[in-house]
Amino acid sequence: MRVLIGGGSGFVGQSLSQLLRKRGHKVTIISRKPGEQKITWVDVAKEGLPPCDAVVNLAGENVLNPLRRWTEEFKQEVTSSRIETTRTLRQAIAKSQSPPHSWVLVTGVGYYPPSPTKQYTEDSPGGDADFLSRLVKQWEDAAQLPPAGGKSATRLTKVRSGVVLGQSGGALPSMLWPFRFCLGGVLGSGKQPFPWIHIEDLCRLLCHAIEEEGVEGVLNAVSPSSARDTNADFTQALSKALGRPAMLFTPSFAVQLLLGSDRAPMLLEGQRVVPQRTLQTGFTFHYPDLDSALRDLVR
Ligand SMILES: NC(=O)c1ccc[n+]([C@@H]2O[C@H](COP(=O)([O-])OP(=O)(O)OC[C@H]3O[C@@H](n4cnc5c(N)ncnc54)[C@H](OP(=O)(O)O)[C@@H]3O)[C@@H](O)[C@H]2O)c1
């Protein structure tokens, strides 16, 4: 298959491209900058989709970018980098003479309201709790095909991902060095749910959504143990995998000082999420629990 990936140059996109090529697919990336095996967003807006069988969107400014303050301008960039790119792809798919079979959008479990106790499946309501959950709602709406009535020739799968654990990007690499120097520890109370997925399982799930004809709708991309894992469980598992004690803790006020009161809840609160539909589609996880995932990632 020919797969077009918006934002495919980033952390998830690089792993996904590698896996797709290994499975015999051809990959073209859409980026803000031109380059080899790349086209730009301007090309797609002007000329429409190049011939392709599947489209994935991974584009988005990093919400937790520590170099950017949480200003109105940055919030706007976080929002528009996701919604505008998704809308550009949806419009190009809708206009295409030979539309792709599959359209996959990766969003986040931030759709569900943070809660230490409630458990969420793909059918749970959400999308109106806070900035992040409203963003996910708008982002998923921007992907919707067809506009009204009628059956689209393209299957849409919305993959709501937890924290992606991998060696080459995301949250894990920046957490490793404090743990290696025995400076690691829980964030805030440590009781907040920690929904997560191993990068390999996320990329396998995206391939599953691209390749399997019956797969569409919302899929939670979190490991099966995520529904019970907390930040303290993650801290303990990482400490065990590294063979280093984790005796310190970062108090909530320090996280708030660093990230501000709007972004700090993204680390100090969380959602208990179950991959119910994901498992019903026949997907199996290679890394279903923290110990197996972290053993693989820090070896
Ligand atoms: N990583 C996680 O833990 C996680 C968890 C849940 C959901 N997600 C979502 O999954 C998607 C992929 O995550 P990722 O970690 O691979 O992201 P990433 O590496 O931070 O970024 C992906 C790509 O987005 C493009 N991009 C960045 N800022 C942009 C902007 N202002 N306008 C347009 N494009 C921009 C960049 O491509 P170019 O520079 O080539 O344009 C970048 O390579 C994101 O939408 C993210 O929100 C990630």
Side-chain angles (χ1 to χ4, degrees):
M1 282 192 215
R2 298 153 302 177
V3 184
L4 190 62
I5 312 179
S9 57
F11 164 47
V12 176
Q14 285 181 23
S15 292
L16 176 63
S17 304
Q18 211 178 4
L19 183 61
L20 285 166
R21 290 190 179 113
K22 223 157 99 184
R23 290 162 93 108
H25 304 304
K26 279 200 173 124
V27 175
T28 303
I29 284 167
I30 314 172
S31 168
R32 288 166 294 177
K33 298 151 274 189
E36 207 183 320
Q37 290 177 347
K38 279 185 183 173
I39 57 174
T40 66
W41 290 103
V42 177
D43 296 334
V44 178
K46 269 195 195 155
E47 292 155 32
L49 288 186
C52 60
D53 306 289
V55 176
V56 181
N57 196 18
L58 298 170
E61 172 65 50
N62 179 2
V63 184
L64 287 175
N65 186 343
L67 304 175
R68 300 289 302 273
R69 286 196 316 114
W70 193 241
T71 58
E72 281 308 313
E73 189 196 351
F74 181 61
K75 275 161 86 169
Q76 185 53 37
E77 208 173 315
V78 163
T79 304
S80 63
S81 58
R82 288 170 170 78
I83 292 176
E84 295 306 324
T85 54
T86 301
R87 194 174 289 147
T88 300
L89 287 173
R90 191 251 288 148
Q91 286 169 347
I93 292 169
K95 278 191 204 149
S96 173
Q97 293 297 317
S98 68
H101 310 297
S102 175
W103 163 215
V104 182
L105 179 70
V106 178
T107 65
V109 294
Y111 177 82
Y112 309 109
S115 162
T117 49
K118 281 191 188 142
Q119 200 158 290
Y120 301 111
T121 71
E122 290 85 347
D123 296 324
S124 302
D128 57 2
D130 51 23
F131 170 80
L132 205 57
S133 95
R134 285 189 291 275
L135 168 61
V136 176
K137 167 89 173 69
Q138 277 179 279
W139 192 4
E140 293 184 354
D141 287 349
Q144 207 59 48
L145 285 166
K151 174 113 178 88
S152 168
T154 306
R155 288 180 287 117
L156 169 61
T157 312
K158 300 174 215 171
V159 176
R160 293 186 185 144
S161 178
V163 177
V164 185
L165 299 180
Q167 286 171 330
S168 60
L172 188 64
S174 57
M175 288 192 251
L176 282 179
W177 73 261
F179 274 84
R180 287 212 159 98
F181 289 102
C182 303
L183 296 171
V186 297
L187 289 178
S189 71
K191 290 181 184 157
Q192 64 275 39
F194 184 73
W196 65 275
I197 185 166
H198 189 296
I199 179 84
E200 188 185 309
D201 278 336
L202 176 60
C203 294
R204 289 178 51 251
L205 179 60
L206 297 177
C207 288
H208 180 68
I210 290 169
E211 293 165 356
E212 294 299 320
E213 288 210 351
V215 177
E216 61 186 322
V218 176
L219 298 181
N220 285 338
V222 292
S223 83
S225 78
S226 274
R228 46 175 200 277
D229 291 330
T230 61
N231 176 268
D233 295 324
F234 169 73
T235 303
Q236 198 181 15
L238 184 55
S239 151
K240 186 170 139 198
L242 287 167
R244 297 280 197 281
M247 291 167 300
L248 302 180
F249 82 103
T250 310
S252 303
F253 76 84
V255 179
Q256 276 171 359
L257 212 64
L258 193 70
L259 290 175
S261 56
D262 271 335
R263 276 195 291 185
M266 296 176 197
L267 298 184
L268 297 172
E269 296 174 354
Q271 301 83 355
R272 295 193 181 277
V273 182
V274 185
Q276 188 170 281
R277 278 197 81 241
T278 303
L279 291 168
Q280 283 166 355
T281 66
F283 183 76
T284 51
F285 287 80
H286 284 179
Y287 301 97
D289 54 64
L290 277 169
D291 281 341
S292 62
L294 291 172
R295 237 191 344 262
D296 175 68
L297 292 169
V298 304
R299 94 198 121 123

